[in-house]
Amino acid sequence: MKELFPYAKLSNSLKYEIGYRGSLLEFESTYFDEFEPIEIEGRDSDDVIVLNPLDDYWNVDAHNLKISKDIEIKRVSPLFGITGIASSNSRIGIAAKWICKDSRLKGVTLVGDFGSDDSDFLGQMKIYFPKGVLRKSIDISLYFYLKEYVFEDQNNFYATRVGTEIGEIETSKIILEGNASEFPIEDVSIPDGPLWKMIWNSQEFDDSFTENVILQINKEHKDYKFLSSEDKKNYNPQLIDEMVISYITMLVFKATQGGILEETQDYPLGSIGSIVQYYINAFEIENGMLEHIHEKVGKGVRKK
């Protein structure tokens, strides 16, 4: 059954008519101040991109990540008027929305906008992620939205609400499954319990991190709604940042207090010890004092 929409949306034929062209996504990372390109060989599309094999060069907990894409539309006029997706005198914007479900983070990046009096469009999507906040994968959707609406009484099939998405251009999934980024999260129900807590099931630093260290989120807590990316009204990414800061601070402090963790030891990849070492290096933590750890982690996570 053909899907029906209450207003005009982008079709494949219209996308072809406007001459849309998008470059392959480009990736850059940095540990210090200078960004360096991440080279991915043998790629001919942006449908699914795997960065995980690049762990030796790039890691979500140790490096910032910048994603960019050049965008070109050769003819914008077909997008307007009776055969288009917006009224003749309205304006259409381009934006990219992204979501990292396992970090409970999402955002929107504006690319640019144009009107029917423009001949073409050139723009660039740029999305920046600080180190230590991403997990497992990112989904990115590039789309048209209604930037400005001008009423035309001869047509009533256009979207009229500013901000409405009126056409998905393309989507991408970026896999980030490096072991250093995978701290398991699970929802639990604990009446009168804290909003979140860390469960640590092993004191052996050679043991698997993902099997022994868990971040539990309490669905019964009154502030749980602020952590759900599905709750658009209450979702609070700043609270997510503070939770991540506290989690990493507790993890490093617990591992380093009393000199339990041997910083010079080579722990197995994906072990508790290796993950803690990643965090120590990523956030430039110099001693085991709680205040120092919290300050360093907070500075790194909040830097955007």
Side-chain angles (χ1 to χ4, degrees):
M1 179 177 180
K2 185 176 180 180
E3 188 174 7
L4 299 177
F5 298 103
Y7 48 80
K9 273 197 167 187
L10 182 70
S11 63
N12 289 332
S13 60
L14 185 55
K15 182 178 176 181
Y16 176 80
E17 186 178 356
I18 63 177
Y20 168 80
R21 293 183 61 185
S23 68
L24 291 176
L25 289 171
E26 296 182 357
F27 301 88
E28 296 176 87
S29 69
T30 179
Y31 180 78
F32 298 103
D33 295 326
E34 297 296 325
F35 277 94
E36 297 290 340
I38 299 176
E39 301 294 340
I40 306 175
E41 298 180 356
R43 177 167 61 105
D44 57 8
S45 79
D46 283 338
D47 294 342
V48 179
I49 304 165
V50 180
L51 294 186
N52 184 36
L54 303 173
D55 279 350
D56 291 340
Y57 177 74
W58 178 83
N59 179 273
V60 292
D61 289 315
H63 303 90
N64 304 315
L65 178 65
K66 183 190 295 183
I67 303 174
S68 60
K69 184 184 190 74
D70 293 326
I71 297 165
E72 177 184 8
I73 300 176
K74 293 185 176 181
R75 298 173 296 278
V76 303
S77 58
L79 294 170
F80 299 90
I82 192 168
T83 61
I85 56 177
S87 61
S88 298
N89 295 313
S90 296
R91 291 191 69 81
I92 295 174
I94 299 178
K97 59 184 178 181
W98 60 268
I99 181 168
C100 182
K101 293 181 180 179
D102 291 277
S103 289
R104 300 179 181 237
L105 297 174
K106 65 179 180 178
V108 174
T109 297
L110 303 182
V111 177
D113 61 89
F114 50 85
S116 59
D117 54 344
D118 295 310
S119 59
D120 57 10
F121 174 84
L122 293 173
Q124 186 179 57
M125 178 198 79
K126 291 183 179 180
I127 309 175
Y128 172 77
F129 299 100
K131 60 188 178 183
V133 302
L134 297 176
R135 295 180 63 246
K136 293 191 177 181
S137 67
I138 315 168
D139 292 292
I140 299 177
S141 173
L142 191 68
Y143 64 96
F144 290 124
Y145 71 95
L146 186 63
K147 172 73 173 181
E148 297 176 5
Y149 172 70
V150 176
F151 175 74
E152 291 182 359
D153 57 5
Q154 69 268 34
N155 293 307
N156 60 2
F157 55 85
Y158 301 119
T160 59
R161 184 176 180 180
V162 170
T164 298
E165 182 177 337
I166 51 178
E168 185 177 79
I169 304 172
E170 57 179 302
T171 62
S172 301
K173 176 178 284 290
I174 303 162
I175 308 299
L176 310 167
E177 293 183 340
N179 286 321
S181 67
E182 298 180 7
F183 55 87
I185 296 178
E186 66 177 16
D187 289 332
V188 296
S189 295
I190 308 175
D192 300 321
L195 177 59
W196 70 272
K197 68 176 182 178
M198 182 174 67
I199 304 298
W200 191 319
N201 294 322
S202 174
Q203 293 298 322
E204 298 296 328
F205 286 92
D206 287 340
D207 286 349
S208 168
F209 180 81
T210 57
E211 295 177 5
N212 292 284
V213 183
I214 302 169
L215 177 62
Q216 292 187 338
I217 311 295
N218 185 11
K219 295 189 296 184
E220 301 295 326
H221 195 280
K222 62 182 179 61
D223 292 332
Y224 176 79
K225 60 181 179 291
F226 298 118
L227 302 180
S228 174
S229 60
E230 303 300 323
D231 191 335
K232 297 181 179 180
K233 179 180 179 181
N234 294 303
Y235 178 70
N236 186 339
Q238 286 75 34
L239 183 58
I240 297 284
D241 285 349
E242 296 306 314
M243 181 180 68
V244 171
I245 291 168
S246 296
Y247 171 84
I248 297 176
T249 297
M250 287 180 60
L251 178 65
V252 175
F253 179 71
K254 183 177 177 66
T256 57
Q257 62 178 327
I260 297 175
L261 180 75
E262 297 181 24
E263 296 184 16
T264 59
Q265 181 172 334
D266 291 329
Y267 292 98
L269 184 64
S271 66
I272 296 173
S274 71
I275 302 305
V276 175
Q277 286 178 333
Y278 267 119
Y279 286 136
I280 290 174
N281 294 328
F283 297 109
E284 301 176 353
I285 297 170
E286 299 169 353
N287 62 65
M289 297 295 292
L290 182 61
E291 295 82 0
H292 170 77
I293 298 172
H294 188 269
E295 179 183 358
K296 286 288 190 176
V297 175
K299 182 178 180 181
V301 172
R302 297 189 190 101
K303 184 178 180 181
K304 303 201 175 182

